[in-house]
Amino acid sequence: MEKEKKVIKKMDDPSGRGSLSGYKVPFPARQRPYSEEEIQTVVDVMRNTECQTQGDHMRKFEADLKAYTGANHAFAVDNCTNALGLAATLCRVGPGDEVIIPAYTFCSSAISFARTGAKVVWADINKETWVIDPKDIESKITANTKAIVAVHLLGMPADMEAIMAIARRHNLKVVEDCAQALDARINGRHVGSFGDYACFSFHGAKTMTTLGEGGALLVKSDEDAALVPGLRFCGIRGFEGERERYWVPAMSNVDTDIDGVWPYNYCMGEAQCAVGSVMLDTLTANTDKIIEAGLKIRERMSDTPEISFNVIPEGYRHVMHQFVMHFDGSAFGKNRNDLMDSLTEEFKIRCIVQYYPLYRYPLFQKFGLDEANCPVLDEFWENSFSFPWWCAPDDETIQYVVDSLKAAINKLKNS
């Protein structure tokens, strides 16, 4: 008898996150709850802070982030997508330029550069680490290449030493997309401190969130850093020189920071900045919990060759922002979809599939960005999936998902 077709209703949240009935292990919308100290910090700003944006809390958060990451300059912005947009502006990319971006990433990594009119050239992933492959980057550089976007996807650092060496040889700008990699490090050095620019996300799904949205732009050079405040806030600055009356000709001036480039409004509120500073104090401890949970699953799955994980190079701190695995059921004619059917229906674990290769999405195809040569990604993606993940699952949950995954694979083998 032919298997009855399932009808899947359209989800309110296309990410697959959020509380849903019927699952023993759902995929949470938020990595961790707010602490009482964080809640009280927000209340205090609401009650007592006169300036609700671009004030002392912003300056403190920027200083704290600069110290935490080892950056030369740090700027709070309203989200990581706009941080990437500012980086694209500072790279001076536009029509006729090419930017090399991994095809395996969240869409905003590419949208912010494609919007300028530049051509996106899709880079493949490394078959072991699952992040952008430096060798593939170099093979795709042309006379029109102007920048490289190195994405530390899933919290795994890209090989920044190799990427920076390539950039120096070809005189290219490097933007680090660290949206999922706060606290990720290479030999103790924080990601985001290698390239010309770095962009961070404090979205609600991240290990640290500034009330659901938020981001930061790190800048290496003093010259570029001087341009950011005006670009970030409508070109507003003080009038130069002494004035007889502070209101003549007006309270503030509006001008360009880069000739021919309109400014934006990408500011972050004071309550968000204040809670960000508090969260930085506990970030490393929370990341340690996530890493510990991830390593437990890896160890407990070590006797199951059908499941593999990305390789963590020596000296790399992989913060495991999402817990992605690869399934190989080719020996018994099964694939990722078969496995997820079993995990979803029989074991009530809400796994998800993330980051369709960007050149397969209608958005990029409609703008003519559907050509790609990414054989490693094409082979890897078809059988990758993610466990539900947060900071941090308890040992009982970890053991349940491990036992369920093994049981599901055994059932597929014998079906």
Side-chain angles (χ1 to χ4, degrees):
M1 187 175 178
E2 190 177 341
K3 190 176 179 181
E4 186 179 341
K5 270 192 172 181
K6 290 175 292 186
V7 178
I8 307 297
K9 292 182 179 179
K10 186 176 179 180
M11 292 181 293
D12 291 334
D13 180 0
S15 74
R17 296 184 174 92
S19 298
L20 290 169
S21 60
Y23 288 94
K24 185 167 182 177
V25 187
F27 206 115
R30 184 146 47 101
Q31 280 273 15
R32 67 177 182 87
Y34 290 111
S35 70
E36 286 304 314
E37 181 185 6
E38 291 157 1
I39 293 169
Q40 189 54 49
T41 295
V42 175
V43 172
D44 184 66
V45 173
M46 292 172 69
R47 285 179 172 158
N48 301 313
T49 301
E50 184 178 10
C51 177
Q52 293 286 291
T53 184
Q54 300 187 81
D56 291 341
H57 291 296
M58 183 193 76
R59 287 183 281 275
K60 182 179 186 305
F61 180 47
E62 290 176 340
D64 291 343
L65 193 60
K66 176 181 169 181
Y68 189 86
T69 59
N72 290 354
H73 305 275
F75 299 93
V77 294
D78 54 350
N79 58 61
C80 187
T81 302
N82 287 337
L84 287 160
L86 284 171
T89 297
L90 292 167
C91 285
R92 278 47 166 209
V93 298
D97 296 325
E98 294 179 0
V99 183
I100 298 176
I101 301 174
Y104 185 48
T105 180
F106 184 63
C107 57
S108 68
S109 303
I111 288 173
S112 300
F113 288 84
R115 184 182 284 123
T116 69
K119 178 184 176 182
V120 173
V121 177
W122 302 116
D124 207 348
I125 58 172
N126 178 277
K127 64 181 180 180
E128 293 187 341
T129 61
W130 305 347
V131 291
I132 191 168
D133 186 350
K135 290 181 180 178
D136 196 59
I137 290 173
E138 190 145 36
S139 73
K140 290 173 176 174
I141 292 172
T142 71
N144 295 322
T145 305
K146 201 158 187 180
I148 300 165
V149 180
V151 183
H152 306 296
L153 194 71
L154 311 174
M156 168 65 81
D159 186 348
M160 291 311 301
E161 290 186 4
I163 291 170
M164 294 308 298
I166 292 168
R168 285 191 292 269
R169 284 198 295 274
H170 297 275
N171 193 29
L172 303 176
K173 294 289 188 181
V174 174
V175 179
E176 293 182 69
D177 183 339
C178 310
Q180 300 180 356
L182 190 59
D183 197 29
R185 301 169 193 272
I186 300 174
N187 296 320
R189 184 174 173 182
H190 201 290
V191 297
S193 64
F194 294 86
D196 299 284
Y197 316 101
C199 305
F200 288 82
S201 172
F202 311 125
H203 181 270
K206 303 299 189 292
T207 51
M208 179 186 126
T209 177
T210 50
L211 307 180
E213 291 285 1
L217 173 70
L218 308 187
V219 178
K220 181 164 284 185
S221 80
D222 296 343
E223 293 78 14
D224 283 339
L227 303 174
V228 175
L231 287 170
R232 176 176 60 179
F233 185 48
C234 299
I236 292 176
R237 78 276 326 277
F239 283 97
E240 293 184 4
E242 294 293 326
R243 292 196 281 173
E244 184 178 346
R245 296 180 176 88
Y246 66 80
W247 62 85
V248 178
M251 299 307 296
S252 58
N253 196 10
V254 180
D255 202 348
T256 59
D257 291 275
I258 300 175
D259 287 345
V261 175
W262 287 94
Y264 315 93
N265 186 349
Y266 292 161
C267 298
M268 184 193 284
E270 287 289 274
Q272 293 174 279
C273 291
V275 79
S277 287
V278 175
M279 281 194 160
L280 279 174
D281 291 337
T282 59
L283 177 63
T284 299
N286 283 318
T287 304
D288 287 343
K289 293 178 185 177
I290 297 172
I291 294 172
E292 181 184 2
L295 293 177
K296 281 182 180 179
I297 294 176
R298 286 176 175 238
E299 173 60 29
R300 294 175 192 182
M301 290 302 302
S302 61
D303 60 352
T304 308
E306 293 82 7
I307 295 294
S308 58
F309 307 95
N310 53 0
V311 175
I312 305 173
E314 186 71 27
Y316 280 43
R317 179 172 169 85
H318 174 19
V319 296
M320 302 188 190
H321 168 69
Q322 298 294 343
F323 200 80
V324 175
M325 295 166 281
H326 186 268
F327 172 62
D328 183 1
S330 58
F332 41 96
K334 301 296 182 181
N335 60 32
R336 182 260 318 277
N337 295 337
D338 300 315
L339 181 60
M340 287 183 65
D341 278 343
S342 179
L343 290 169
T344 301
E345 296 168 11
E346 298 176 59
F347 299 97
K348 306 303 179 186
I349 298 172
R350 188 167 178 75
C351 298
I352 64 174
V353 175
Q354 295 172 292
Y355 310 128
Y356 203 36
L358 294 187
Y359 45 82
R360 300 188 190 182
Y361 280 119
L363 172 66
F364 296 101
Q365 292 175 350
K366 288 175 180 177
F367 282 96
L369 298 174
D370 54 342
E371 291 186 15
N373 179 22
C374 300
V376 178
L377 174 57
D378 284 330
E379 182 178 356
F380 158 80
W381 185 86
E382 298 296 339
N383 283 293
S384 69
F385 68 102
S386 301
F387 261 164
W389 203 236
W390 64 93
C391 177
D394 58 30
D395 199 68
E396 181 181 353
T397 301
I398 290 172
Q399 194 59 50
Y400 177 73
V401 295
V402 166
D403 290 344
S404 299
L405 182 53
K406 289 182 179 182
I409 291 170
N410 285 330
K411 291 186 84 169
L412 291 177
K413 281 182 179 179
N414 297 315
S415 62

